Amino acid sequence: MAEEWIVRVQGKEYGPVDVETLREWRDEGRVLPSNQARRADADLWITAAEIRGLFEPAPMASDPAEIPPSRRSFAHILAETLRIYRKGFFQFFYLTVLVALPSLCAQLSGSAVGASPNINMDLRTLIAAVFTFGMLLLSLAAWPVFIAGIQILTAELAAGRKARIVGLFNQALKFWPRVALLCIFVYGAYFFWTLLPLGIILMFAASGPSLISIFLALLVLAFQVWIIGRLFVNFLFWQQFAVLAGSDAASALRQSKKLARSGRDLPWFQRPLWRGIFLFAIWSAFVLALTIGPEWSAIRHYFHELTTSQDPQALLQSLTTNYKPQAFNLPSFLLGLVQTLLRPLLGIAFVLLYFDSKADFSGGGGD
């Protein structure tokens, strides 16, 4: 007679069922390696990861997000990022499509409406505007699933396990409320502290040029750089702690800040913070290289206006007047598509950095 098992998921017990049924639950994302399980004829609870033939390759740690704690060099992190992306390309592609497809539909619809001369508010234009707005909302709603999916998939592939897309989506959906809440807080903080100082600087510029206004604008700009830097440090690992560590929103932010500031006994370039800065800088340079080409003419025009205009009010009016919605641009679209397809690379790299930093921190490398 086949062995039958009882599993405990979120405090509820299910079973007894055989291993084949457990495999089906595993593929659906209903059973994780860290869930408790016991044989139907025994009282000893173990983890589902210890059930022979359920999660391969075995054995595994009780935490599904854990991988062997070995320190990687920065070059190794980059190489491992590319290896994991190549190994799970189709799974990463499906996750990317989940967010990119609604955004693409919104972009195409918005470009079609914006490029039409003498736009009239007829029924067709209204429908297109509503469709664009709906697609943007759908893309935003899918973003937490994308974030959680990147974390889970990277952890599984890094540990040498396979991840099926259906089970991956089911697992990622469980983290949607927590990740969505953190997205609102984290991105909202960046948005607020980016726009508020810029608004103050524009107020100084509109009041007329003077030494005092220029000095105050520079002070506000310096404060903006400082506060954005602080936010970057505090939010460095919020995604990993929210998903892989299973922390609630407040704990994820608190642990992220603590881990980002750890490793002070290491050389500065090996600390989690600076490694995170290097990763983000590499990605930002790549994105800039993709976007600056198609936008070069507009950037050159704005730079010319900034360097030649003497009146701040006239400058603002000129920039506003000369702005025109751009029609669909194929080179920009293709470059944006490349950027979108490669976007998981940044998430993969930060997951590997999280594992590496956490191993150092647990091993005594923290504060």
Side-chain angles (χ1 to χ4, degrees):
M1 181 177 178
E3 290 183 348
E4 292 190 330
W5 294 84
I6 297 175
V7 294
R8 181 183 292 163
V9 179
Q10 296 182 349
K12 296 182 179 180
E13 296 183 7
Y14 300 89
V17 295
D18 56 19
V19 175
E20 189 62 33
T21 302
L22 289 178
R23 291 196 187 101
E24 295 177 2
W25 291 358
R26 174 203 63 191
D27 295 340
E28 296 170 358
R30 297 169 58 187
V31 176
L32 302 177
S34 58
N35 291 139
Q36 290 183 313
R38 66 175 176 86
R39 291 179 53 172
D41 57 352
D43 296 327
L44 178 63
W45 289 93
I46 60 175
T47 61
E50 299 176 65
I51 300 177
R52 185 180 299 275
L54 180 55
F55 290 94
E56 299 292 347
M60 300 186 312
S62 59
D63 186 349
E66 291 294 337
I67 59 176
S70 58
R71 161 159 280 279
R72 301 177 178 87
S73 65
F74 188 77
H76 188 191
I77 290 179
L78 296 179
E80 185 72 1
T81 297
L82 295 175
R83 185 192 69 81
I84 290 176
Y85 180 75
R86 184 174 64 252
K87 184 178 180 180
F89 174 79
F90 289 105
Q91 292 96 323
F92 288 117
F93 175 78
Y94 295 142
L95 286 172
T96 303
V97 167
L98 182 68
V99 176
L101 187 59
S103 179
L104 174 62
C105 292
Q107 180 182 351
L108 293 176
S109 177
S111 298
V113 173
S116 301
N118 301 323
I119 297 177
N120 297 319
M121 283 303 296
D122 55 8
L123 181 60
R124 185 176 61 179
T125 304
L126 181 61
I127 292 176
V130 172
F131 176 78
T132 301
F133 182 71
M135 288 296 100
L136 287 175
L137 289 181
L138 183 59
S139 180
L140 291 175
W143 188 254
V145 179
F146 172 78
I147 290 177
I150 293 295
Q151 315 305 309
I152 297 170
L153 179 56
T154 301
E156 293 296 307
L157 294 176
R161 299 189 290 268
K162 295 182 179 180
R164 299 190 179 184
I165 193 64
V166 175
L168 178 64
F169 278 126
N170 287 334
Q171 293 182 51
L173 281 172
K174 296 178 181 179
F175 293 97
W176 191 93
R178 182 187 307 162
V179 177
L181 176 62
L182 282 167
C183 282
I184 294 173
F185 181 82
V186 171
Y187 298 138
Y190 279 120
F191 183 78
F192 177 81
W193 288 111
T194 299
L195 287 189
L196 180 63
L198 289 179
I200 296 175
I201 292 174
L202 290 177
M203 289 175 56
F204 289 144
S207 64
S210 66
L211 290 177
I212 295 178
S213 63
I214 294 175
F215 177 73
L216 292 177
L218 291 176
L219 281 181
V220 173
L221 183 61
F223 173 78
Q224 181 189 36
V225 173
W226 177 80
I227 196 67
I228 293 297
R230 297 279 295 185
L231 293 177
F232 179 83
V233 174
N234 294 342
F235 298 155
L236 193 62
F237 295 113
W238 72 268
Q239 299 178 8
Q240 290 74 42
F241 276 107
V243 178
L244 300 180
S247 304
D248 58 53
S251 297
L253 294 175
R254 184 171 58 253
Q255 291 172 321
S256 172
K257 177 181 177 181
K258 189 175 182 180
L259 184 60
R261 296 173 181 270
S262 66
R264 294 185 179 180
D265 57 332
L266 298 172
W268 67 270
F269 55 87
Q270 293 184 2
R271 297 173 187 174
L273 172 59
W274 286 102
R275 285 185 163 194
I277 292 175
F278 293 152
L279 289 174
F280 185 76
I282 292 173
W283 175 254
S284 299
F286 171 74
V287 172
L288 183 62
L290 289 179
T291 57
I292 197 171
E295 302 295 334
W296 178 248
S297 59
I299 295 174
R300 186 171 56 182
H301 169 73
Y302 291 147
F303 181 77
H304 175 74
E305 293 290 338
L306 287 172
T307 54
T308 58
S309 178
Q310 301 294 327
D311 186 357
Q313 293 181 343
L315 172 63
L316 292 176
Q317 184 177 2
S318 174
L319 295 179
T320 305
T321 303
N322 292 329
Y323 173 78
K324 296 179 180 179
Q326 295 183 353
F328 177 76
N329 186 289
L330 182 59
S332 298
F333 171 76
L334 293 178
L335 291 175
L337 185 61
V338 172
Q339 175 188 337
T340 301
L341 290 177
L342 296 179
R343 184 183 295 157
L345 287 172
L346 184 63
I348 297 170
F350 268 92
V351 171
L352 296 177
L353 177 61
Y354 162 78
F355 284 133
D356 199 63
S357 304
K358 193 176 180 183
D360 283 342
F361 188 75
S362 301
D367 294 339

